[in-house]
């Protein structure tokens, strides 16, 4: 019986072997090279998928006339071995296509080889954006390049409000090539990149720890890690050891690392707790779910001694890559290898033995046209690679990744992979699920922290000429620097409004002698050079300083003003014209004449006093008009409409004359003061001395305005300013002070009896606090400042340091004027003009109604002037028209 069973088994095996031999004879072999690093997790995962793809494809497509014959080479993560494998496949094996390699630098070199030999190379994992099918048509990428994910990463950083981020990458083509795209995407969202960390593949533990310590000495706590698994594994373990995986830190993984995270060892997964990852989203389907179950069993069969791995996107892409190549090989009918004369190149001797494939162009064309439903979804290449699609955002919690949401180029962040129609682009944190951060924290990290090398922020303060703003004192007992003043209290009030504690330590910007160590620009450079974390004080926000630091929102009003002494206003013989402005004089005269004209029109025929010769009538109009100013008009009015016009006009005249009298009396009796200078160009022409604060930006500004450098003086206190301004230029002093508005207010409050303000001469942005470019404190302090400035706290601080320093009250920024202008009486002129025009209109309507039979014949006249003359004669010869207020026996109503 045993012998019978043995014979049956031998028979079946012989039949199967014959069947395979028949299949091989039926298929035309298409030799394909496979270049992988089989000792790596990605290499093992991809090799299993490639084997399954071969089995599945030809089980389904048993009618195909071509069949891929794979020649697999293990590079062992060695670049030289990868080059040798490629040349061996192209030379000895004469493969018609190459699948792989895994790494971008390997693919970059191989792509040059296949460009010469016209053999397509198809990579599902070489993601570097530095080389594409556009530059090399024989390089085909069946995955996304790394630049596709940078917008998703930038959207995440913006959503959580982080202002700084540090990329950490390995020192390879893969690690470096993404950086220009990442930097651009982050800058578009306003994210600053203070540093970029590069880790060599051969870096020792001490070298990696040295880089990590450097990161700890910086404020930024948001890290974007883009590295190979081999380097990333070492870095993450050491980062956890250094305490950089604790609460307050943020780690964002790019697609390559995220895809392999679940396949890493338990110790590395443990170090990734709370990290966020970005990876290409593959929609779930029955096809890939069935494939995943079969793949897991197959992987355990292929690698029984390895820890069970998790299938990832690279496994799916490798599977679809084989299918695409198999379909293209059949359509291109490349079953027979066809190579021509060896290509020789003296620059690259390695190419001398390689031949050129004639099937290559046809095979590339068919691969690019290939369309099918794969395990990753719809397989379609555009410009030789897969295009940007939806990215999935995950959170490493425990041993598994947890879904947070998705990012789409059109709709941004969303909890759903397919957002609702009409959804606008979003970078809102609320569009993602709750994140478990490093240290198992549920609070969103602020993205920065005080460096571990010190416990407090180093804040630099100037030695201000105005102690009311910044006062620096040395505590004799403790030798500590103590600061106070308006600017300091505003800053500390803003710090108290922050949602977190911010320990501070102040340092005075002074020399050994206790004087200022330089100008305010020098102070700014100290922050720029990272000698200090910020500068607080009476620092003006200037455009040239924004090249070196970022400023918070201004906490004072803006503007540059000029302080000058008063001078006595000299009276002259034409002072009686001063109470009214020119427009009021001309406007009043016009209304005087218009009112006289309206009254004349309505009284001319009915009232003998408005009749007579033309000269007499003109004189009557003028006399009547202007005599109303002093109520001395002698003409008696007959028409009711005329009397209505006169009543309104006399009311207007009453107000005009009263105002004129009051203003003129004030000018004649009150001693008036005015600024001694109102135009800074006058100072330049006269060669006068001017002054400003020591070290102020206004020194350079005045020089640019062509002030003589010798004429610009710098002072250190209000007392020095006052003394110099009282002396005047002729006595060795100055004629004017140029200062920003906050300082101007302080000087004037103490010297308002002697000086006044002219301006603003120029606009500026006011005072602000300076921090290094990209510092997250700028945003946080600015928001906190708004709470201070918009509340009562700023008023209390001003009262303490600025308002209550003197009882002297500011008289005004400029001398008030006693001139009355037309707008002052615009309402009155509108009323009298409307009433006069209304009365005249009624009179004209009555006239036309009474004389319509005569006026109708005038319309036949062609000349407009003749029409007017004829109409006037008609009016002049018509019956007397009046609306009289006299008793009936005197013919009140309408008289002939």
């Amino acid at each position: 019986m045993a012998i019978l069973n043995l014979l049956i088994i031998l028979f079946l095996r012989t039949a199967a072997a014959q069947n395979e031999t028949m299949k091989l004879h039926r298929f035309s072999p298409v030799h394909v090279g496979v270049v992988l690093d089989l000792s790596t997790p990605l290499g093992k995962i991809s090799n299993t998928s490639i084997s399954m793809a071969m089995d599945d494809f030809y089980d389904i497509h048993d009618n195909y006339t071509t069949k891929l014959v794979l020649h697999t080479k293990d590079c062992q993560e060695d670049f030289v071995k990868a080059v040798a494998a490629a040349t061996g496949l192209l030379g000895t094996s004469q493969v018609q296509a190459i699948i792989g390699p895994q790494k971008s630098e390997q693919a970059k070199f191989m792509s040059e080889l296949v460009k010469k030999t016209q053999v397509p190379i198809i990579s599902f994992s070489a993601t570097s954006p530095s080389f594409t099918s556009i530059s090399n048509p024989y390089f085909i990428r069946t995955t996304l390049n790394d630049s596709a994910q940078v917008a998703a990463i930038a959207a995440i950083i913006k959503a959580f409000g982080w202002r700084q981020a540090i990329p950490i990458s390995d020192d390879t083509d893969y690690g470096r090539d993404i950086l220009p795209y990442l930097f651009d995407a982050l800058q578009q969202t306003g994210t600053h990149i203070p540093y970029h960390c590069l880790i060599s593949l051969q870096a020792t533990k001490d070298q990696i720890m040295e880089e990590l310590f450097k990161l700890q000495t910086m404020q930024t706590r948001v890290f974007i890690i883009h590295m190979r698994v081999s380097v990333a594994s070492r870095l993450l373990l050491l980062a956890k050891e250094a305490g950089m995986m604790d609460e307050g830190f943020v780690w964002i993984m790019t697609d390559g690392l995220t895809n392999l995270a679940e396949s890493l060892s338990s110790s590395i997964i443990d170090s990734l707790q709370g990290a966020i990852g970005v990876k290409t989203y593959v929609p779930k389907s029955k096809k890939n779910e069935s494939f995943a179950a079969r793949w897991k069993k197959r992987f355990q069969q292929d690698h029984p001694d390895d820890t069970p791995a998790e299938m990832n996107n690279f496994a799916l892409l490798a599977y679809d890559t084989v299918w695409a190549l198999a379909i293209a090989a059949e359509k291109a009918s490349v079953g027979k290898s066809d190579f021509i004369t060896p290509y020789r190149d003296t620059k690259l001797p390695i190419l001398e033995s390689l031949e050129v494939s004639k099937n290559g162009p046809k095979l590339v064309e068919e691969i690019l046209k290939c369309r099918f439903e794969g395990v990753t979804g719809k397989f379609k290449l555009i410009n030789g690679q897969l295009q940007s699609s939806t990215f999935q955002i995950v959170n490493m919690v425990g041993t598994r990744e947890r879904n947070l949401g998705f990012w789409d180029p059109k709709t941004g962040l969303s909890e759903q992979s397919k957002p609702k129609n009409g959804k606008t682009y979003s970078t809102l944190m609320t569009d993602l699920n709750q994140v478990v951060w490093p240290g198992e924290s549920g609070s969103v990290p602020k993205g920065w922290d005080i460096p571990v090398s010190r416990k407090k922020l180093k804040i630099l303060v100037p030695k201000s000429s105005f102690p009311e703003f910044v006062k620096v004192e040395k505590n004799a007992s403790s030798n500590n620097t103590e600061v106070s003043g308006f600017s300091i209290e505003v800053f500390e009030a803003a710090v108290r409004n922050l949602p977190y504690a911010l320990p501070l330590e102040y340092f005075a910007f002074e020399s050994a002698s206790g004087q200022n160590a330089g100008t305010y620009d020098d102070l700014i450079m100290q922050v720029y050079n990272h000698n200090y974390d910020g500068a607080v004080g009476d620092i003006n926000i200037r455009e040239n300083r924004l090249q070196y630091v970022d400023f918070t929102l201004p906490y004072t009003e803006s503007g540059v003003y000029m302080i000058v002494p008063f001078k006595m206003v000299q009276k002259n013989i034409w002072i009686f014209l001063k109470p009214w402005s020119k427009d009021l004089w001309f406007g009043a005269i016009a209304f005087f004449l218009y009112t006289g004209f309206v009254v004349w029109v309505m009284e001319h025929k009915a009232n003998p006093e408005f009749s007579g010769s033309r000269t007499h009538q003109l004189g009557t109009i003028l006399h009547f008009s202007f005599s109303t100013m002093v109520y001395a008009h002698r003409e008696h009015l007959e028409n009711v409409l005329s009397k209505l016009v006169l009543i309104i006009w006399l009311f207007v005249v009453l107000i005009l004359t009263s105002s004129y009298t009051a203003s003129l009396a004030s000018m004649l009796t009150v001693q008036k003061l005015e600024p001694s200078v109102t135009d800074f160009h006058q100072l330049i022409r006269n060669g006068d001395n001017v002054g400003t604060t020591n070290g102020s930006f206004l020194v350079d500004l005045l020089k640019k305005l062509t002030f003589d450098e010798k004429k610009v003086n710098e002072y250190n206190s209000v007392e020095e300013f006052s003394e110099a301004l009282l002396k005047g230029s002729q006595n060795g002093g100055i004629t004017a002070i140029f200062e920003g508005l906050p300082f101007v207010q302080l000087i004037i409050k103490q010297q308002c009896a002697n000086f006044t303000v002219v301006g603003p001469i120029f606009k500026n942005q006011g005072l602000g606090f300076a921090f290094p470019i990209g510092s997250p404190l700028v945003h946080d302090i600015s928001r906190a400042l708004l709470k201070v400035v918009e509340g009562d706290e700023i008023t209390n601080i001003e009262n303490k340091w600025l308002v209550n320093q003197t009882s002297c009250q500011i008289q005004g920024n400029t001398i008030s004027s006693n001139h009355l202008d037309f707008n002052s009486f615009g309402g009155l002129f509108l009323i009298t003009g409307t009433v006069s025009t209304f009365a005249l209109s009624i009179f004209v309507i009555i006239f036309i109604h009474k004389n319509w039979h005569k006026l109708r014949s005038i319309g036949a006249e062609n000349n407009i002037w003749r029409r007017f003359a004829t109409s006037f004669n008609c009016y002049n010869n018509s019956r007397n028209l009046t609306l009289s207020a006299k008793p009936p026996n005197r013919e009140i109503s309408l008289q002939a």
Side-chain angles (χ1 to χ4, degrees), residues 435-487:
V435 182
V436 178
W437 301 102
E440 298 184 359
S441 171
S443 301
V444 177
K446 61 179 182 286
W448 68 276
D449 205 350
I450 301 172
V452 296
S453 58
R454 45 193 164 85
K455 296 181 179 180
K456 295 182 179 180
L457 284 181
K458 295 170 63 178
I459 301 297
L460 191 61
V461 293
K463 295 273 289 187
S464 176
S465 299
F466 300 95
E468 292 83 0
F469 281 88
V470 180
K471 185 177 182 180
V472 179
E473 295 177 312
K474 208 77 170 178
N475 189 312
S477 58
S478 63
N479 201 33
N480 291 332
T481 300
E482 296 180 352
V483 296
S484 59
F486 174 75
S487 297

Side-chain angles (χ1 to χ4, degrees), residues 271-284:
S271 67
L272 275 174
Q273 295 303 296
I276 295 176
V278 173
K279 67 177 184 179
T280 306
Y281 173 62
V282 177
K284 288 185 178 181

Side-chain angles (χ1 to χ4, degrees), residues 9 88 139 146 163 166 312 354 430 452 464 544 620 654 684 776 815 828:
I9 291 172
F139 173 74
D146 284 331
R163 301 289 169 175
I166 294 179
N312 55 41
L354 303 183
T430 53
V452 296
S464 176
N544 64 310
T620 300
L654 173 65
I684 299 174
I815 300 299
L828 291 173

Side-chain angles (χ1 to χ4, degrees), residues 68-84:
L68 304 183
V69 178
L70 304 183
H71 301 262
T72 304
K73 300 292 182 180
D74 182 9
C75 300
Q76 299 176 2
E77 297 189 83
D78 189 294
F79 181 79
V80 176
K81 289 184 178 179
V83 174

